[in-house]
């Protein structure tokens, strides 16, 4: 392999000048840097990132660990992270925990070994032990799509209690009094918060908690939505409307209802959460609570980069950024007369 010494010898400069040409170009004359870059191109030199990491103590990579890369919501979050990182010349390592705390712990250990600059994570471990280990190693982290109650780290999320209330308040306004809630695992804070919001809307309307029929499923995916549909159809007292904890569940539920000859919204109204691209393209366009996924990812990356920037790190104050959700109304929740 071509070394930095080879470049220096061919260009007739010192190793330090080659290094400055690559890392601190303001310290080198335009003419000298042009000659060095020409030799680099001629010899095909590629600088050693591992060596640079040893000198700097961290890499030019941030890590993003999400619950499910099969969910388009997290794809949009990743796009936002990438946009902010690319603007600063930083790379992104993307990993998927699959909602498994053990897989999460393995990835966080890998990030520490690779000396990543910072970690963005939607935690699968509700106890927070995995993140505590990361903090002890001095690696900054930002929680994504999750609020943090302490000032140990930054977080970027949406007000899911408000989002759940928006969804169920809308269904109540359409005249529904028996509402189903298809929830993901109760261990996920997002699902619990959306349920809390749903109950808040019911109380506002003078309805009791028993007006909400909760169907918990093991995952936030289409297959679990189909399974929830089968369970829903088997209920003795079927709700007239259903709110799902995310759009993938809602799309799976929609498939199940269609297969059983149940009309949406005439027989059962339906509301999802996230407003992924597929929501508007469904057989019956899906009403959904929109989260600004791209903005969430971009802001999270900006926060972790600010915390690790030499010029701003000393004055860094952890922020808990919370965006407001927005209800996007489509045909799946409206009476056919509309």
């Amino acid at each position: 392999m071509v070394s930095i010494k080879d470049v220096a010898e061919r260009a007739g400069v010192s190793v330090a000048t080659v290094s400055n040409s690559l890392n601190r170009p303001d310290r080198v004359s335009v003419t000298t840097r042009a000659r060095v870059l020409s030799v680099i191109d001629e010899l095909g030199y590629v600088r050693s990132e591992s060596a640079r990491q040893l000198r700097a103590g961290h890499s030019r990579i941030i890590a993003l660990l999400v619950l499910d890369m099969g969910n388009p919501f997290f794809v949009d979050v990743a796009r936002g992270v990438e946009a902010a990182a690319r603007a600063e010349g930083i790379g992104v390592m993307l990993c998927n925990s699959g909602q498994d705390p053990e897989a999460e712990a393995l990835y966080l250990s890998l990030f520490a070994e690779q000396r990543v600059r910072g970690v963005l994570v939607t935690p699968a471990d509700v106890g927070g032990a995995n993140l505590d280990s990361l903090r002890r190693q001095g690696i900054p982290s930002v929680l994504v799509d999750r609020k943090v109650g302490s000032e140990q780290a930054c977080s970027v999320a949406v007000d899911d209690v408000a989002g759940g209330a928006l969804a169920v308040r809308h269904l109540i306004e359409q005249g529904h009094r028996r509402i189903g809630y298809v929830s993901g695992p109760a261990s996920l804070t997002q699902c619990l918060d959306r349920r809390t919001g749903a109950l808040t809307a019911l109380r506002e309307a003078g309805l009791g908690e028993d007006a909400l029929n909760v169907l918990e499923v093991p995952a936030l995916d289409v297959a679990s939505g189909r399974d929830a549909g089968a369970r829903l159809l088997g209920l003795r007292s079927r709700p007239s409307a259903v709110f799902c904890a995310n759009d993938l569940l809602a799309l799976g539920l929609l498939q199940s209802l269609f297969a059983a000859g149940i009309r949406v919204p005439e027989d059962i109204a339906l509301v999802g959460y996230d407003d992924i691209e597929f929501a508007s393209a469904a057989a019956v366009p899906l009403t959904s609570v929109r989260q600004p996924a791209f903005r969430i990812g971009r802001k999270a990356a900006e926060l972790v980069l600010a915390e690790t920037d030499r010029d701003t790190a000393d004055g860094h104050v952890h922020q808990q950024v919370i965006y407001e959700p927005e209800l996007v109304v489509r045909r799946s929740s409206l009476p056919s007369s509309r």
Side-chain angles (χ1 to χ4, degrees), residues 173-191:
E173 289 171 353
Q174 309 312 309
H176 299 285
R177 295 297 180 267
R178 289 179 294 109
I179 298 171
Y181 173 51
V182 179
S183 168
S187 60
L188 294 180
T189 304
Q190 298 97 317
C191 296

Side-chain angles (χ1 to χ4, degrees), residues 65-219:
L65 179 59
V66 301
L67 295 177
D68 179 14
M69 272 311 299
N71 187 337
F73 167 77
F74 287 114
V75 174
D76 287 340
V77 168
R79 288 177 54 247
V81 171
E82 183 184 31
R86 187 170 57 243
E88 298 298 325
I90 301 294
V92 179
M93 181 190 299
L94 175 60
C95 298
N96 175 42
S97 72
Q99 301 179 27
D100 181 356
E102 292 186 7
E104 176 182 271
L106 289 173
Y107 277 124
L108 293 178
S109 177
L110 173 65
F111 299 158
E113 291 174 5
Q114 295 298 315
R115 300 186 183 185
V116 298
R117 181 164 176 167
V119 174
L120 312 175
V121 57
T122 304
D125 171 32
V126 294
N130 290 340
L131 287 176
D132 288 342
S133 175
L134 196 68
R135 294 187 190 104
R136 285 196 295 271
Q137 299 187 56
I139 299 176
S141 62
V142 174
L143 272 64
V144 180
D145 193 33
R146 184 74 55 84
K147 290 179 287 188
V148 59
S150 68
E151 296 185 356
Q152 293 181 315
C154 292
S155 65
V156 186
V158 164
D159 187 341
D160 283 318
V161 174
L166 277 176
V168 172
R169 197 176 292 131
H170 168 70
L171 291 172
I172 292 171
E173 289 171 353
Q174 309 312 309
H176 299 285
R177 295 297 180 267
R178 289 179 294 109
I179 298 171
Y181 173 51
V182 179
S183 168
S187 60
L188 294 180
T189 304
Q190 298 97 317
C191 296
L192 293 177
D193 284 349
R194 292 164 198 178
R195 177 178 180 271
T196 297
L199 292 173
T200 298
L202 291 173
R203 285 194 296 270
E204 290 173 353
L207 301 171
E209 291 190 7
D210 57 353
L212 189 71
N213 192 325
V214 179
L215 299 176
E216 184 179 330
V217 295

